[in-house]
Structures are given as C-alpha cells and as structure tokens.
Amino acid sequence: MTLLNRIGLGTVQFGSSYGISNRAGQPSQADVAEILNCAANAGVGYIDTATGYGDAENLVGRYWPAHHAARIVSKPSAISEAEIEDRHRQVWLDEIAQSLQRLKRDRLHAVLVHRVADLQKPGWQYLVEALQQAKQRGWTTRIGASVYDGDQLALAESRFRPELVQFPLNALDRRMIASGAVARLKATGTEVHARSVFLQGLLLMPPETLPEFFAPIRAKIAKLRGRWAKQALSPLEGCLAFTLQHRDVDAVIVGVNRRSEFEDIAAALSRLGEFNIDDAFDAAVEPIYLDPSRWPRFAP
C-alpha cells in the first residue's frame, strides 16, 4: 500500500471559499476537474464530502474518473430544528439517496453524522434509525460520526456504535491520540480518519504572517517548524508525516484548491520514508485555536 492509498481528498473547498490560507477563493469547475483527475491517477484512496458542501457531490460525480476506485464518505445535513421528528429520518434517507445519485454510486463507504450535537436533541433516535436503515438497504458499508473532540465522541458512542469516526489531528491538536481514544477505537474495529492535518492551512503559513488572533500560539508554531527543519522536513512534509506516522489512522483527509497544491502533497509523500518524527513537543494549545468554527472571520 502506498501512502496515497491512505490519503482522502476533502471536498468542502469545492463548494465554498474555505481555509484561512486560501487567498484564491473557491476553485472553478475546471480546477476541480483537474484536481479530481490528478488525485485519481495518483491513487488517492478516499473522498470526503457532504450534502452541505455546496455543489461538491455533483462535481465529484461529474469529474471523478469512473474507472478509478475510491471509498467515498458523505454526511447528510445538520438539523436546524430544536427537536427531531420521524420526518427527519426520511429527510436523511432522501438525502443519502440523492447523494448516491449525485456521486453516481451504488454504495458509499460510510455515512457520518455531520453535527454530533444533533444527537443531543429530543428525538435523536430517528437519526440513528436513518443511518441503520441506509446500511440495511445497502446504501453504505459503514455508519459513523464526524467529531471535534472526546466529548463529542462520547456522545456519539452513547447513541450507537460508530463504525467510522473522523476527527481533527495535527501537530498542534493531539488530543485524540493523547487521550488514548484512537487506540481504543482501533482495538474495537472502528475505522479512523483524521482531518485538519494542516489546521485549515494555518500550519503551512509563516507564524509572523498569521492574524493577530493567533499571536498567543505563534511561538509554538515557530518552534514546531524549527524542529521539522532540523529533521530536513518542510512544513508540508512535517504535517503529513506527523499524522501518517500514527498507524492506527486509516485515512488522512487533505483539502486543496488547485491541482498544483495536490501535486505538492503527492511530491511530499514521495519524499517521506520511514516516519521517525520527533514527537517530544509541548503542544498544549487552548481549544479555541484548534477549532476553526470558533475563529473570527478573516478577510481574504
């Protein structure tokens, strides 16, 4: 298995202008077609998408080469209402069926709860029923959840048994590794996907160029990059190597806005040999800096 088999292509940026380091904006359809063709030919193993990612599912269905296999993970939309009813079960089933049509697939690799907080609402059982029925109908191989931290993972696990869990993991955000959650999940046969490997591109930007909001962690990022430099690793290589060295992580989700960015990732992976990344780093960081949903909105 090559390293690219463990790489998943994120698609949120196909439907929006996404990422703190993104200055080019949302990629055009031509850009998306180039990215998908390049990723398929390189042997990327996974595609991560969602109903809520704008036109991303349509674009993947239109431009992903049909003869290239990839395990596709999608997520039905979050529920806006305060209480969940039986009709929401059908809404999710309809959305999953529509995702299959847009993606031109007979079956997804996994369907995940996109916003785990929905499982706290009265009537949450209807959402779990939707996931289970989608699996029974053969629409998905696995069901699971996308989480931000251990508390959200605990909530998901209290509602059903996730067969695939996606969570943030990067050189600054090591919470799921440090808590033992990743090892525990793998021991029970749960598939593990890591996202936010670049922390929306934050870890690829020179610390001195970061918005003032990140001033309290600039020194930590500079120290981290310095340690990578001593190991002859670029920031891109350091980010990828840190996450991929954790063998319990089945897939690492990366997002790109241009074909050239994917080619940079593929080239970095080709340069990485056996992982021996210095992990003795004090990465204690306040959670507000690890969760992009809590960041101020930065002008492009």
Side-chain angles (χ1 to χ4, degrees), residues 140-201:
T140 183
T141 303
R142 293 173 179 263
I143 58 175
S146 174
V147 305
Y148 276 95
D149 55 33
D151 290 341
Q152 289 196 352
L153 174 60
L155 173 59
E157 291 183 308
S158 73
R159 301 315 198 199
F160 69 107
R161 182 186 175 278
E163 297 164 320
L164 190 153
V165 174
Q166 185 188 101
F167 55 83
L169 175 66
N170 56 64
L172 281 188
D173 189 353
R174 309 174 180 205
R175 293 172 293 175
M176 298 295 280
I177 293 288
S179 69
V182 173
R184 178 180 60 78
L185 288 168
K186 287 301 297 178
T188 59
T190 303
E191 190 169 328
V192 173
H193 289 199
R195 67 172 186 271
S196 201
V197 58
F198 308 128
L199 196 54
Q200 271 202 18

Side-chain angles (χ1 to χ4, degrees), residues 248-265:
D248 286 340
V249 174
D250 296 289
V252 175
I253 310 302
V254 301
V256 300
N257 294 290
R258 298 291 181 269
R259 173 179 175 170
S260 60
E261 294 175 0
F262 178 81
E263 290 173 335
D264 288 344
I265 290 172

Side-chain angles (χ1 to χ4, degrees), residues 12-260:
V12 62
Q13 67 280 359
F14 294 172
S16 63
S17 183
Y18 180 82
I20 186 174
S21 64
N22 178 16
R23 294 294 180 264
Q26 183 178 340
S28 67
Q29 285 199 27
D31 290 327
V32 171
E34 284 193 354
I35 292 168
L36 291 171
N37 188 64
C38 185
N41 290 332
V44 159
Y46 300 83
I47 295 176
D48 178 73
T49 191
T51 300
Y53 290 172
D55 204 31
E57 288 187 335
N58 276 322
L59 293 171
V60 171
R62 187 177 307 151
Y63 295 118
W64 183 261
H67 58 284
H68 285 280
R71 285 156 284 190
I72 300 182
V73 176
S74 192
K75 316 167 197 78
S77 59
I79 305 299
S80 59
E81 290 85 355
E83 184 168 346
I84 296 166
E85 302 172 351
D86 184 50
R87 64 184 178 88
H88 292 108
R89 177 186 58 82
Q90 191 58 49
V91 166
W92 267 23
L93 286 171
D94 290 345
E95 287 192 2
I96 296 167
Q98 291 161 9
S99 290
L100 288 168
Q101 290 180 346
R102 288 190 290 265
L103 292 162
K104 299 180 181 177
R105 292 275 166 154
D106 295 323
R107 176 181 293 191
L108 297 169
H109 179 63
V111 174
L112 309 183
V113 179
H114 204 169
R115 187 173 65 188
V116 173
D118 286 336
L119 297 178
Q120 286 183 311
K121 297 177 179 179
W124 59 267
Q125 297 92 337
Y126 293 119
L127 301 183
V128 175
E129 288 177 12
L131 295 178
Q132 293 170 338
Q133 289 175 13
K135 186 176 179 183
Q136 290 165 3
R137 295 179 185 185
W139 293 353
T140 183
T141 303
R142 293 173 179 263
I143 58 175
S146 174
V147 305
Y148 276 95
D149 55 33
D151 290 341
Q152 289 196 352
L153 174 60
L155 173 59
E157 291 183 308
S158 73
R159 301 315 198 199
F160 69 107
R161 182 186 175 278
E163 297 164 320
L164 190 153
V165 174
Q166 185 188 101
F167 55 83
L169 175 66
N170 56 64
L172 281 188
D173 189 353
R174 309 174 180 205
R175 293 172 293 175
M176 298 295 280
I177 293 288
S179 69
V182 173
R184 178 180 60 78
L185 288 168
K186 287 301 297 178
T188 59
T190 303
E191 190 169 328
V192 173
H193 289 199
R195 67 172 186 271
S196 201
V197 58
F198 308 128
L199 196 54
Q200 271 202 18
L202 184 81
L203 297 177
L204 304 180
M205 300 170 66
E208 65 274 11
T209 68
L210 295 176
E212 190 60 27
F213 172 78
F214 297 104
I217 63 169
R218 283 176 183 157
K220 281 188 178 292
I221 296 174
K223 183 178 179 182
L224 181 64
R225 290 163 64 103
R227 296 172 79 95
W228 286 337
K230 289 180 180 178
Q231 298 174 77
L233 295 171
S234 69
L236 179 64
E237 291 167 339
C239 287
L240 290 167
F242 170 81
T243 311
L244 287 164
Q245 75 177 332
H246 296 289
R247 302 298 185 181
D248 286 340
V249 174
D250 296 289
V252 175
I253 310 302
V254 301
V256 300
N257 294 290
R258 298 291 181 269
R259 173 179 175 170
S260 60

